[in-house]
Amino acid sequence: MLLDLTGIENKLEYYSDHYFYTLFEQDALESIAAWKAKSAQIKTFRAPWDRLKNLRSTFLSALTKAFDPLELKIKIAELATKYLRALGYPEAAFEIYPITNNLSIPIFRKFNKVSGEALLWVILAADFESDGDIMEARAFLPSDNNPQGDDDTYQIITQSEVSNDFLAVKALYGHDYPPRWLMFIGRNSLALIDRQKFNDKRYLLFNLEAIFNREEEKNLQAVSVLLHFESLCPVEGTVIHDRFEENSRRHAFEVSQDLKFSLRECVELIGNEVLYDLRTRLGRNFNKEPIEPSELTVQCLRYMYRILFIFFIEARPKLALTQLKAPVYLSGYSLESLREITENLDQEVKRSPKVTEGFYLCESLNKLSDLIYNGYPQNEEDYKLCTEENYSVQDVFVIEPLKTHIFDPERIPLIAKARLRNGVLLKVIELMSLARRDNGGKKRRGRISYATLGVNQLGAVYEALLSYSGFIAPIKLYEVKRREEQYDQLEVGYFVSEDELKYYDDEERVRFESGENQGELRYYEKGSFIYRLAGRDRENSASFYTPEVLTRCLVKYALKELLKDKSAYEILELKICEPAMGSAAFLNEAVNQLAEAYLDLKQKERGGDLTIKRDSDELQMVKMFIADRNVYGIDLNPLATELAEISLWLNTIYKKSSIPWFGTQLVCGNSLIGARRECFTIEELTSTESHWYESAPKRLEP
């Protein structure tokens, strides 16, 4: 049985797309089975989807009928009452809830927790166009709580003057006692909003016309599970959406684990392809001009981090880094378009020499990287012309230059000169696009959703491979393992020569688990690039990623003491230093919590209302301010410093923000050995006859 999700929009991935469209069904079956069992035991009980089905004719007649504004609002109120009854909601009183002196929220139904805290507010919305955006509609309320007769006829209407989007922000973040849920019900749509996710504008949208037109039971079952009173306001136990979210997060964790495997394999693929190109096309003699394995490793990592970064930003149009919604970008330049090409190619076509030996993907990725690094248009006159308000031309988009290390071609000279074949890049994009199968092959390969991977999860993928190293096989090598251990590509790798292989029994030899060599011994030809964890590299480099739940807890209780009696302004003056930052997991968490604390205090200092809309952009602006001015970090690994810069920037970027420069704040060094105190004199810095950087700084004695 497959649930039908037609008419249910997973806006900005309220749940990850892969979870929602492939795994949600299994989690929803428990509720559906319980309702079916109750229906079989109690003759008077009807399953919620059956009750919704009976409203089809009422809805369709209301949809096709022309109403004046007052009639339309009355009809929406009547239909909303029937939807809520079908979904198990009890009757409740109307309420006008004041948020500020100038703004009140008209609540059609209000439901509280047993403790009295607000849990769910149902709000009616008048959208006069059948296909109108319910979040741009206006909330309203019948003023009479005593409907006349069975038809639930209402008379007098109260109308809000602001959009539902603005109203939702104020209801959820603009006062001290917000509800967990908002449900907007309009003529043709219904929106379910969760306070925990609306900062990112993520919510569920139900197209009622699409749902009622089909009258499909499995579709109505999905609607029932997501919207029922027991799902949102259970008398006891947890909210069902929290269980779904936990499973979605668990899946996201599994995806980040999959990406670690994929990223390691991709680094190896790219490294070997660079060696192949240098040897065959450029004719390099490795005996006379050997390749430094450590340098090749760093360049391959940078190249793969670049691909991971593009996947991440393209999945978040709100970042406004590029005009990601421009059709010409999406179809002609985006990494997502290359991803679709690889997914839609037939397997036989993928294996054909005409495809595998070409360089289309390499040239496309190089062009995309150049657009991001240098921006477009690169000519200043063309740029000014394209950014003029009244300028209009087809097939044009503007990208601000992003001068970060991972897009700098001078930092990957070996790869920048190489031509990587389609066959290899097809494998790379596929590995970065699809989740892995489990050992038994039972797990369905789902499309990886980068929209639901947070900065911390991305950092975990980044940091996982910092302690790995690459080397070039001096002879043909075979991989072995301890007899009692399961083979794991992310753990320490052991390699022996063909002569030494006889000392290892079959349980100690590693075999290919899939592909054309499945079942054969895993080997590496002479000259192959191998990228694995060697010996005690992880312990020596201390490359262990701190889980998000731990960073959140430690930062929370560290700040609890620090923020006592602090004003909002004083929070913005706090300096933060992480002496072993890795990819900035603790720094990001500290920035997040300080920004939230600042907004909360600022709101209280202003008497409970911010003059600026409290939404994700406002939060991001504060985070960027703190990160740009107050954050410092040190790490022994130079690549970790680069990753920390990217991680902090991704966590704090907002629309029209500049790109912060962390060059003097995040440094590569050893925080345990101390540092000499050296400085330049004022005369050296202000001299017009010489440059200060041409002389060494003078050391100050303690």
Side-chain angles (χ1 to χ4, degrees):
M1 166 189 162
L2 288 174
L3 284 183
D4 186 345
L5 299 177
T6 302
I8 306 175
E9 293 186 50
N10 188 32
K11 287 285 187 178
L12 289 181
E13 299 203 53
Y14 178 86
Y15 294 114
S16 76
D17 276 342
H18 178 61
Y19 170 80
F20 192 59
Y21 294 111
T22 60
L23 305 176
F24 161 70
E25 176 194 9
Q26 190 61 39
D27 292 340
L29 288 179
E30 182 181 342
S31 295
I32 295 170
W35 281 321
K36 284 183 176 180
K38 187 174 180 180
S39 181
Q41 292 172 359
I42 306 173
K43 292 182 179 181
T44 56
F45 177 81
R46 294 174 61 206
W49 55 85
D50 288 330
R51 302 182 71 181
L52 284 174
K53 191 184 297 184
N54 285 346
L55 297 178
R56 180 176 184 269
S57 59
T58 307
F59 169 80
L60 293 178
S61 65
L63 185 68
T64 55
K65 201 172 180 181
F67 296 100
D68 64 36
L70 180 61
E71 289 177 323
L72 176 61
K73 293 171 186 174
I74 291 172
K75 183 55 67 175
I76 291 172
E78 292 173 359
L79 285 170
T81 300
K82 292 175 181 178
Y83 299 152
L84 294 173
R85 285 174 183 165
L87 291 166
Y89 288 82
E91 296 295 330
F94 299 172
E95 183 173 337
I96 303 290
Y97 189 90
I99 298 294
T100 68
N101 292 334
N102 300 318
L103 178 66
S104 294
I105 296 181
I107 304 172
F108 182 62
R109 294 284 188 271
K110 180 180 179 181
F111 302 98
N112 296 337
K113 297 179 182 178
V114 176
S115 59
E117 298 173 65
L119 185 57
L120 167 67
W121 292 354
V122 179
I123 300 171
L124 304 182
D127 48 342
F128 294 102
E129 297 179 11
S130 60
D131 58 348
D133 183 351
I134 194 170
M135 299 310 294
E136 293 302 319
R138 299 293 186 268
F140 70 91
L141 182 65
S143 63
D144 182 7
N145 195 25
N146 297 303
Q148 299 175 359
D150 296 332
D151 293 333
D152 299 332
T153 304
Y154 301 94
Q155 298 299 324
I156 305 171
I157 305 296
T158 300
Q159 175 82 38
S160 172
E161 296 181 359
V162 298
S163 71
N164 288 337
D165 185 67
F166 183 86
L167 201 68
V169 170
K170 289 297 183 182
L172 298 175
Y173 311 113
H175 62 111
D176 292 333
Y177 304 103
R180 162 73 185 275
W181 302 99
L182 292 179
M183 184 188 295
F184 288 101
I185 302 177
R187 178 182 191 178
N188 188 38
S189 54
L190 183 154
L192 179 66
I193 294 171
D194 184 349
R195 184 176 187 271
Q196 298 174 4
K197 297 187 179 184
F198 197 63
N199 249 345
D200 297 321
K201 302 300 183 187
R202 295 158 57 197
Y203 61 98
L204 292 174
L205 181 65
F206 298 79
N207 184 324
L208 300 176
E209 183 179 3
I211 291 166
F212 281 117
N213 260 334
R214 299 180 74 252
E215 199 179 13
E216 173 61 48
E217 182 175 278
K218 292 175 182 177
N219 190 205
L220 293 173
Q221 286 177 343
V223 173
S224 300
V225 171
L226 293 168
L227 294 177
H228 199 275
F229 182 72
E230 294 175 4
S231 299
L232 301 177
C233 309
V235 177
E236 55 184 27
T238 58
V239 173
I240 198 170
H241 285 270
D242 290 341
R243 297 212 307 269
F244 295 160
E245 179 63 21
E246 178 61 31
N247 290 342
S248 180
R249 285 180 182 173
R250 191 178 298 115
H251 170 70
F253 173 76
E254 291 172 0
V255 166
S256 65
Q257 288 295 104
D258 288 349
L259 278 176
K260 293 175 189 177
F261 281 91
S262 297
L263 194 59
R264 189 215 64 81
E265 189 173 344
C266 287
V267 168
E268 215 168 68
L269 284 169
I270 297 296
N272 279 299
E273 182 65 7
V274 170
L275 294 177
Y276 172 85
D277 186 73
L278 288 172
R279 184 172 55 249
T280 57
R281 187 177 66 86
L282 299 178
R284 180 161 175 170
N285 186 328
F286 293 136
N287 292 324
K288 294 181 180 179
E289 295 181 87
I291 293 290
E292 176 57 47
S294 61
E295 183 57 32
L296 178 60
T297 298
V298 170
Q299 291 187 35
C300 290
L301 268 174
R302 284 194 182 119
Y303 187 80
M304 287 312 306
Y305 288 156
R306 176 186 296 183
I307 290 177
L308 200 58
F309 176 89
I310 297 173
F311 270 134
F312 187 85
I313 61 171
E314 285 189 352
R316 288 164 169 76
K318 284 184 65 182
L319 292 182
L321 175 65
T322 62
Q323 286 191 351
L324 299 180
K325 294 182 180 179
V328 66
Y329 174 84
L330 290 172
S331 60
Y333 297 93
S334 68
L335 183 54
E336 187 63 28
S337 68
L338 300 181
R339 188 183 191 184
E340 289 178 3
I341 289 173
T342 63
E343 290 177 357
N344 293 329
L345 277 180
D346 184 84
Q347 290 299 323
E348 290 186 12
V349 175
K350 283 183 181 180
R351 290 192 291 266
S352 67
K354 188 175 180 180
V355 171
T356 58
E357 297 301 315
F359 302 101
Y360 172 78
L361 293 177
C362 176
E363 292 165 359
S364 298
L365 286 169
N366 289 344
K367 182 62 177 176
L368 177 56
S369 298
D370 178 66
L371 286 174
I372 293 175
Y373 186 68
N374 293 309
Y376 181 83
Q378 294 180 20
N379 179 288
E380 188 172 348
E381 291 182 2
D382 291 341
Y383 177 80
K384 287 181 179 178
L385 184 64
C386 289
T387 52
E388 287 180 3
E389 287 187 12
N390 298 325
Y391 180 73
S392 177
V393 68
Q394 291 184 338
D395 297 340
V396 166
F397 59 90
V398 176
I399 298 181
E400 300 282 352
L402 177 59
K403 298 294 185 179
T404 63
H405 296 320
I406 61 169
F407 287 101
D408 186 351
E410 294 184 5
R411 289 183 173 260
I412 54 168
L414 292 172
I415 302 177
K417 293 176 185 176
R419 299 194 75 193
L420 310 179
R421 293 171 295 173
N422 289 336
V424 171
L425 289 179
L426 280 169
K427 291 179 184 175
V428 168
I429 294 175
E430 184 177 282
L431 283 166
M432 302 301 289
S433 297
L434 300 175
R436 298 168 65 246
R437 293 184 186 275
D438 62 8
N439 292 333
K442 298 175 183 177
K443 177 180 171 183
R444 185 189 308 182
R445 293 195 75 182
R447 202 172 196 262
I448 291 175
S449 169
Y450 284 89
T452 55
L453 282 181
V455 171
N456 283 332
Q457 290 165 326
L458 198 66
V461 177
Y462 282 157
E463 199 167 315
L465 301 184
L466 287 180
S467 55
Y468 286 61
S469 57
F471 67 96
I472 297 172
I475 57 174
K476 185 175 182 178
L477 295 176
Y478 289 82
E479 191 162 4
V480 294
K481 64 178 182 66
R482 290 190 176 93
R483 182 183 290 105
E484 67 277 4
E485 291 183 355
Q486 187 77 19
Y487 174 64
D488 187 343
Q489 295 178 26
L490 296 182
E491 293 302 325
V492 176
Y494 303 95
F495 306 91
V496 298
S497 66
E498 193 167 10
D499 293 338
E500 296 170 317
L501 191 62
K502 61 187 177 184
Y503 300 115
Y504 297 85
D505 60 34
D506 195 59
E507 291 184 10
E508 295 172 311
R509 299 176 182 182
V510 178
R511 299 182 181 275
F512 288 105
E513 297 173 349
S514 59
E516 56 186 23
N517 296 321
Q518 186 174 1
E520 297 180 12
L521 294 177
R522 184 180 285 272
Y523 64 90
Y524 298 84
E525 294 288 357
K526 179 182 177 181
S528 297
F529 176 71
I530 304 173
Y531 181 61
R532 294 293 295 278
L533 182 65
R536 290 177 55 83
D537 282 357
R538 178 172 285 143
E539 288 84 349
N540 291 338
S541 67
S543 296
F544 292 95
Y545 190 79
T546 310
E548 186 176 356
V549 64
L550 187 55
T551 59
R552 187 181 298 124
C553 177
L554 287 173
V555 171
K556 175 183 176 181
Y557 287 102
L559 292 180
K560 189 174 183 180
E561 296 299 318
L562 186 64
L563 297 182
K564 277 183 178 179
D565 303 321
K566 288 280 192 302
S567 67
Y569 174 79
E570 288 173 328
I571 289 177
L572 296 183
E573 293 299 305
L574 290 172
K575 306 298 181 186
I576 311 151
C577 181
E578 164 60 288
M581 65 182 168
S583 60
F586 277 100
L587 287 178
N588 273 314
E589 188 59 42
V591 166
N592 293 347
Q593 293 193 29
L594 284 172
E596 289 279 4
Y598 167 80
L599 286 173
D600 288 342
L601 270 176
K602 196 67 177 176
Q603 182 166 287
K604 291 176 182 177
E605 289 173 4
R606 290 189 177 184
D609 183 37
L610 286 176
T611 57
I612 309 172
K613 184 170 68 172
R614 171 74 182 276
D615 60 9
S616 56
D617 281 346
E618 172 76 7
L619 179 63
Q620 290 301 105
M621 287 169 65
V622 179
K623 285 163 62 175
M624 176 69 82
F625 184 88
I626 293 172
D628 197 23
R629 293 181 72 238
N630 301 342
V631 162
Y632 299 86
I634 309 162
D635 201 278
L636 274 171
N637 191 321
L639 198 56
T641 308
E642 294 179 22
L643 298 180
E645 287 185 20
I646 297 166
S647 182
L648 273 169
W649 178 66
L650 284 176
N651 185 38
T652 58
I653 188 175
Y654 63 93
K655 191 175 290 187
K656 296 182 180 179
S657 66
S658 59
I659 299 165
W661 186 64
F662 294 112
T664 57
Q665 295 170 239
L666 308 179
V667 297
C668 179
N670 191 328
S671 60
L672 298 180
I673 62 171
R676 295 192 302 273
R677 191 176 176 202
E678 297 182 341
C679 64
F680 294 96
T681 64
I682 294 175
E683 290 75 17
E684 287 174 316
L685 294 174
T686 57
S687 173
T688 57
E689 298 178 359
S690 61
H691 298 294
W692 60 270
Y693 51 78
E694 292 176 345
S695 59
K698 295 178 177 57
R699 183 174 183 181
L700 301 183
E701 296 299 329

